[in-house]
Amino acid sequence: MAFDPKTDNGWSYRCRYRPGDPVGHYESYFLRANHPERPLAFWLRYTLLSPRRDPDKAIGSVWAVVFNGETGIHYAAREDFPFSTCHFASGPFSVTIGESVLDGGRAAGIASSNGTKIAWDLRYTGDQSPLLLLPRSWYEDWVPAAKSLVGLPLARFDGTLAVGGERMEIRGWRGSANHNWGARHTSSYAWGQVAGFDTHPESFLEVATAQINIGPWRGPCLTPVVLRHNGREEAMNGMMTMLMAKGSYSYFVWSFASENSRVAVEGTIAAPREAFVGLLYSDPPGGGRQCLNTKIASCELRVSEKTASGNGRPEVLFARNRAAFEILTGDRDHGVPIRS
């Protein structure tokens, strides 16, 4: 069924923040897309942060990063606003932070910091249904503390983006609209996404390797994988499947493997250090984690059918400079400068 965020009863895009709640909360809606052929990408994030036990200090923030794999120059800006200037509405979905706006089909705004100014005016469309990285019931439970979903996979973006004194025409860039929220960030993770492979433009991959903590106790490492390919969705995100899946990452390579009753997948996502921008994510309980963020990574995915019709050879899906790759970490030895 075609998905329209304006008529989805608001579930995928519904803001989970409860003003005044002392528990603490973060929530973000982000858009990202890649040029159809060149190593160019953007990432836009509309977010709120409400500190634990101090909800009167809640703020809204607008983030923007433009990646240029041709010049090696990436632009990043973040701007914070008093929560009194922000508005998060679920039905119909709309977000306003300062002068920046976002709804189910348009994003327009501006972010300026440290001498960098990025402005955008974009329309996005698509007919894909939402993709859930986690089991559906987990989105209503208190564990895990961080939730993530893709509201609109394989979105098409058109419009303009201005950065560094130059105006970029965005025509047919492919990406996604995403939503995540929680009482605190996952302590460490790798997250990846491919919105259309070079070899298979209509296939979509969402994957993560994350350590789930429960209070002060370090929990297990889980690797959920969801792949839409050849007209099917292969969700490898049941608890036992995530526990048994393999996921291992370092700076700046990540390998993962999982399977269900129909397919087995094995993949690698990687990018050079120079492709990353460092960002600081503040946590509602206090402190923060560093996010190493690129949207111009490469991904190779091998998909093996486990049915009788499978020919024994894996099908290879490949994307060069089109994969999203983020690492959240408390380490400081990665060598990526923190930009925002």
Side-chain angles (χ1 to χ4, degrees), residues 6 14 42 69 89 99 126 140 148 153 156 174 205 208 220 232 239 253 261 272 275 283 296 302 315 325 327:
K6 295 179 180 178
R14 176 169 57 85
F42 66 78
E99 298 180 4
E140 308 301 336
S148 177
R156 175 192 167 107
R174 184 66 70 89
L205 172 70
R232 298 197 322 242
M239 174 56 88
V253 179
S261 61
D283 217 18
I296 51 173
R302 296 178 178 271
E315 186 176 14
F325 183 13
I327 295 172

Side-chain angles (χ1 to χ4, degrees), residues 46-62:
Y46 298 69
T47 186
L48 69 86
L49 175 70
S50 178
R52 181 178 294 178
R53 293 187 293 273
D54 205 352
D56 290 342
K57 292 185 179 179
I59 62 170
S61 302
V62 181

Side-chain angles (χ1 to χ4, degrees), residues 115-149:
T116 297
K117 178 180 177 181
I118 303 174
W120 59 94
D121 190 351
L122 301 165
R123 303 281 179 177
Y124 62 100
T125 59
D127 60 4
Q128 296 283 306
S129 60
L131 183 149
L132 304 185
L133 181 62
L134 302 172
R136 173 64 175 81
S137 62
W138 286 25
Y139 290 91
E140 308 301 336
D141 293 339
W142 66 275
V143 176
K147 328 286 188 184
S148 177
L149 60 82

Side-chain angles (χ1 to χ4, degrees), residues 150-336:
V150 187
L152 185 58
L154 293 180
R156 175 192 167 107
F157 289 83
D158 296 280
T160 60
L161 191 152
V163 60
E166 296 185 4
R167 177 185 170 99
M168 301 173 61
E169 295 292 331
I170 308 299
R171 294 290 180 266
W173 289 33
R174 184 66 70 89
S176 61
N178 307 266
H179 184 196
N180 52 57
W181 67 92
R184 66 180 181 273
H185 291 289
T186 303
S187 59
S188 61
Y189 67 69
W191 169 82
Q193 184 186 93
V194 181
F197 290 80
D198 297 349
T199 53
H200 300 76
E202 299 307 312
S203 296
F204 189 97
L205 172 70
E206 181 89 353
V207 57
T209 294
Q211 184 166 44
I212 305 299
N213 292 345
I214 303 175
W217 296 281
R218 294 173 68 86
C221 193
L222 305 179
T223 297
V225 182
V226 181
L227 173 67
R228 289 184 176 175
H229 178 58
N230 288 338
R232 298 197 322 242
E233 177 173 292
E234 302 294 351
M236 290 158 267
N237 59 4
M239 174 56 88
M240 290 305 300
T241 300
M242 292 189 289
L243 281 169
M244 295 177 65
K246 298 177 181 178
S248 177
Y249 63 92
S250 60
Y251 308 123
F252 297 93
V253 179
W254 174 23
S255 297
F256 54 89
S258 189
E259 62 182 290
N260 61 19
S261 61
R262 295 175 297 276
V263 298
V265 299
E266 183 176 356
T268 300
I269 297 178
R273 187 190 311 268
E274 295 74 21
F276 287 82
V277 167
L279 307 170
L280 180 62
Y281 282 6
S282 298
D283 217 18
R289 316 292 287 178
Q290 294 190 357
C291 177
L292 313 183
N293 186 322
T294 184
K295 298 297 178 280
I296 51 173
S298 294
C299 177
E300 180 174 296
L301 187 71
R302 296 178 178 271
V303 182
S304 301
E305 292 278 351
K306 297 171 70 175
T307 62
S309 60
N311 59 15
R313 285 201 224 162
E315 186 176 14
V316 178
L317 286 65
F318 184 74
R320 185 185 303 277
N321 304 318
R322 295 185 55 80
F325 183 13
E326 295 182 13
I327 295 172
L328 195 73
T329 178
D331 295 339
R332 300 294 187 267
D333 299 330
H334 45 72
V336 178

